Amino acid sequence: MFTTLPAILMLVVGLFTLALAVLRRRQSGRSPVVLTYGDDAEGFAGKLFRVIVAVLVVHLLAIAAFPKAVNAALGRIPLLDTPSISAIGLALMALGGGLTMLSQWAMRHSWKIGIPEKQDAPLVTSGLYAFSRNPIYVGMVTALIGTVLAVPNVISVALALSAWISISYQIRMEETHLSRAFGEAYGVYCRRVRRWA
């Protein structure tokens, strides 16, 4: 059961995100997915994000379908390979996934995947965003830490570290965009609310 739950949790978050993107597109007539494909820093970050997500999906599905083969090929980190740590990891994955979905929903029409060319939605500063400027990313990082604990192998660790770097870079690009778009109002928000939590 522990081998399939990480994939199920990841698929729930993925399907929720897809359903929300479809809903927001129907409501506004525009896709909330605005990741670019260019050769600039934003395009590179978007490509890296896609690769990390794709590898995570394949990795967790492979573990669900072929746990013995994956464990034989990759091994497991002995210090983390206990049922209690796996249970903690699954709990963190569920908590992080839940926070990610709740945070996406709370942004309403301001929610985007990527940085829009033109800021056409208000700055969200209430609800979860009154405690963290980036609760979606807090949820994602929590889920990734949970993945390392639930599936303690070198790929999980590499994905978590890669995602941390990618997310940290993405946050800074978003901050630059939001600062340009909202000016002093965003500056006041940044002074009041921390980047992570």
Side-chain angles (χ1 to χ4, degrees):
M1 187 64 157
F2 274 1
T3 60
T4 58
L5 279 176
I8 290 169
L9 290 169
M10 181 269 312
L11 287 173
V12 166
V13 174
L15 290 173
F16 175 87
T17 300
L18 178 62
L20 185 59
V22 170
L23 175 66
R24 295 295 184 236
R25 183 183 182 104
R26 285 187 179 165
Q27 290 172 333
S28 69
R30 292 183 313 272
S31 175
V33 181
V34 293
L35 290 171
T36 64
Y37 293 89
D39 196 30
D40 58 358
E42 188 180 334
F44 176 78
K47 290 172 193 168
L48 180 60
F49 176 76
R50 289 180 190 96
V51 168
I52 291 168
V53 169
V55 173
L56 178 63
V57 168
V58 170
H59 180 57
L60 293 180
L61 289 176
I63 288 168
F66 313 105
K68 289 181 182 174
V70 172
N71 288 337
L74 298 176
R76 291 175 69 88
I77 300 170
L79 184 65
L80 301 176
D81 195 15
T82 69
S84 58
I85 290 179
S86 290
I88 292 168
L90 290 170
L92 286 174
M93 286 184 75
L95 177 68
L99 179 59
T100 299
M101 293 185 294
L102 188 60
S103 300
Q104 289 171 334
W105 183 260
M107 283 195 82
R108 300 198 171 273
H109 297 292
S110 295
W111 175 68
K112 302 276 188 285
I113 298 176
I115 300 172
E117 285 185 26
K118 180 182 158 207
Q119 185 64 38
D120 58 355
L123 179 65
V124 178
T125 60
S126 61
L128 292 169
Y129 292 85
F131 303 100
S132 169
R133 296 197 313 255
N134 300 287
I136 292 172
Y137 294 134
V138 171
M140 291 170 74
V141 169
T142 301
L144 285 163
I145 292 168
T147 302
V148 170
L149 299 178
V151 185
N153 64 38
V154 67
I155 299 294
S156 297
V157 172
L159 285 170
L161 291 174
S162 300
W164 171 261
I165 292 166
S166 175
I167 288 169
S168 296
Y169 187 69
Q170 182 69 25
I171 285 172
R172 283 155 179 82
M173 289 192 306
E174 289 176 6
E175 287 174 347
T176 299
H177 166 77
L178 293 169
S179 183
R180 279 196 305 261
F182 295 106
E184 183 55 22
Y186 184 68
V188 168
Y189 174 60
C190 288
R191 289 189 290 275
R192 192 179 78 237
V193 178
R194 294 168 53 124
R195 178 179 282 150
W196 289 100

